[in-house]
């Protein structure tokens, strides 16, 4: 799967494809180090500070969807400027679990009888944020979903910081307005300081302004959230579980992703 983007006529030449070798994976791990460790202050058991790599035990079984800047040197492991980790349910058996299993009870999704895809480690190089790169990654993701007949996408989406009260407006807005239906409602495996504010205390403007842009984007595609939040001490984030049911996506959202994929010449 490869995709050339409009950036080819600009300073950056961007393509989207799956990681093809160890150097691709290393470059993705280096990007993740810059974003999750240096910028966000996270850590982890397998983080290599000497080589500046953010990695974990799941990397070997995930597919890694990458945004490549063709003007950068692959030999320096510097060519990956955007990334997503993708784990279809067909690979869960060798892993024993999804990444999200540690944070959320995924029983409702497993019992749904539908094809699942876990998303994770979404990140973008600082120099490419606010441009077309994220759209290209999403178009690559849309093609992957079609190729693998995926019904439900899910994964942890993060608020920066380990204090849920800081994000009470946003978390409460998600709980009251975007809670997953009962049959898909996963639940956080943690008791913490988060308790939803009452509806009459919500300020829509504040809630949406404080919400990470990626979560707002998932909501525009029809995304919903599981119940509760999980504080990840290693990454210093407050996580919610985002769930996207492809059958429930709005016609406009489906047309957007499919049109974007077709117009970008993916194969």
């Amino acid at each position: 799967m490869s995709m050339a983007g409009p950036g080819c006529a600009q300073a950056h030449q961007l393509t989207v494809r799956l990681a093809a070798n160890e150097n691709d994976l290393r470059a993705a791990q280096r990007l993740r180090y810059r974003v999750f460790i240096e910028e966000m202050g996270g850590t982890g058991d397998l983080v290599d500070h000497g080589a500046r790599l953010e990695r974990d035990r799941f990397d070997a079984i995930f597919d890694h969807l990458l945004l490549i800047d063709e003007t950068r040197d692959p030999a320096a492991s510097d060519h990956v400027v955007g990334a997503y980790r993708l784990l279809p349910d067909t690979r869960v058996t060798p892993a024993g679990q999804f990444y999200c299993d540690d944070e959320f009870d995924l029983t409702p999704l497993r019992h749904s009888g539908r094809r699942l895809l876990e998303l994770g480690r979404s990140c973008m190089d600082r120099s490419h944020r606010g441009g077309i790169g994220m759209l290209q990654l999403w178009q690559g993701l849309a093609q992957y979903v079609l190729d693998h007949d995926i019904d439900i996408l899910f994964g942890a989406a993060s608020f920066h910081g380990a204090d849920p009260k800081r994000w009470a407006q946003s978390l409460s807005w998600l709980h009251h307005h975007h809670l997953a239906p009962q049959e898909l409602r996963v639940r956080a495996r943690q008791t913490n300081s988060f308790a939803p504010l009452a509806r009459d205390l919500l300020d829509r403007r504040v809630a949406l302004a404080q919400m990470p842009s990626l979560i707002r984007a998932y909501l525009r595609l029809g995304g919903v959230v599981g119940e509760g939040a999980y504080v990840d001490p290693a990454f210093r984030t407050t996580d919610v579980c985002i769930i996207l049911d492809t059958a429930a996506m709005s016609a406009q959202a489906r047309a957007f992703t499919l049109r974007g994929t077709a117009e970008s010449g993916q194969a």
Side-chain angles (χ1 to χ4, degrees):
M1 177 172 59
S2 179
M3 177 175 68
C8 293
Q10 303 170 7
H12 302 293
Q13 297 178 20
L14 303 177
T15 58
V16 174
R17 61 174 172 80
L18 295 176
N21 51 49
E22 284 299 315
N23 189 50
D24 282 347
L25 177 56
R26 184 180 180 87
Q29 292 170 334
R30 183 160 291 174
L31 168 66
R32 284 159 38 184
Y33 187 92
R34 295 197 298 272
V35 174
F36 298 123
I37 309 303
E38 292 183 337
E39 291 186 34
M40 298 179 62
T43 186
D45 293 341
L46 296 181
V47 170
D48 186 335
H49 294 287
R52 300 177 66 244
L53 303 175
E54 191 281 302
R55 56 189 184 179
D56 68 14
R57 63 190 176 91
F58 287 90
D59 276 334
I61 61 164
F62 271 78
D63 278 333
H64 299 265
L65 184 67
L66 307 178
L67 180 68
I68 308 292
D69 185 339
E70 301 290 354
T71 67
R72 295 193 177 193
D73 183 11
S77 299
D78 189 45
H79 56 299
V80 174
V81 296
Y84 248 120
R85 286 201 319 190
L86 312 176
L87 181 60
D89 55 11
T90 51
R91 295 192 196 163
V92 173
T93 299
Q97 66 174 92
F98 288 108
Y99 177 85
C100 277
D101 270 311
D102 288 340
E103 298 190 4
F104 300 95
D105 180 356
L106 303 178
T107 300
L109 297 183
R110 284 193 165 92
H111 288 175
S112 69
R114 304 174 69 193
R115 292 294 312 279
L116 307 176
L117 177 69
E118 182 177 34
L119 312 178
R121 291 298 199 276
S122 173
C123 57
M124 186 74 63
D125 186 86
R126 189 191 299 271
S127 64
H128 287 71
R129 293 173 196 166
I132 197 172
M134 198 66 204
L135 173 60
Q136 289 182 250
L137 267 180
W138 277 37
Q139 291 168 352
L141 175 60
Q143 186 62 53
Y144 187 99
V145 166
L146 290 174
D147 291 344
H148 292 79
D149 297 319
I150 299 299
D151 298 310
I152 295 175
L153 298 80
F154 73 97
S158 301
F159 291 80
H160 187 47
D163 181 8
K165 293 180 181 177
R166 178 182 176 188
W167 309 112
Q169 282 286 336
S170 294
L171 292 171
S172 301
W173 185 269
L174 290 173
H175 176 84
H176 287 297
H177 295 279
H178 299 282
L179 194 62
Q182 193 66 42
E183 65 271 17
L184 299 178
R185 191 177 302 169
V186 307
R187 288 173 170 79
R189 296 184 182 274
Q190 185 185 70
T191 300
N192 50 52
S193 62
F194 170 62
L197 299 174
R199 279 179 177 266
D200 59 0
L201 296 179
L202 296 184
D203 184 322
R204 181 180 183 274
R205 181 187 59 81
V206 172
L208 296 181
Q210 292 184 345
M211 198 175 294
S213 59
L214 184 60
I215 294 180
R216 293 200 307 269
Y218 286 135
L219 298 182
R220 287 195 294 271
L221 289 176
V224 293
V225 299
E227 189 170 339
Y230 186 94
V231 176
D232 184 338
F235 274 82
R236 299 179 185 175
T237 58
T238 298
D239 299 342
V240 295
C241 187
I242 291 283
I243 302 162
L244 274 168
D245 184 341
T246 60
M249 286 175 65
S250 69
Q252 182 180 7
R254 293 171 66 88
F256 167 76
T257 53
L258 295 176
R259 182 178 67 248
T261 300
E263 290 176 352
S264 298
Q266 270 189 286

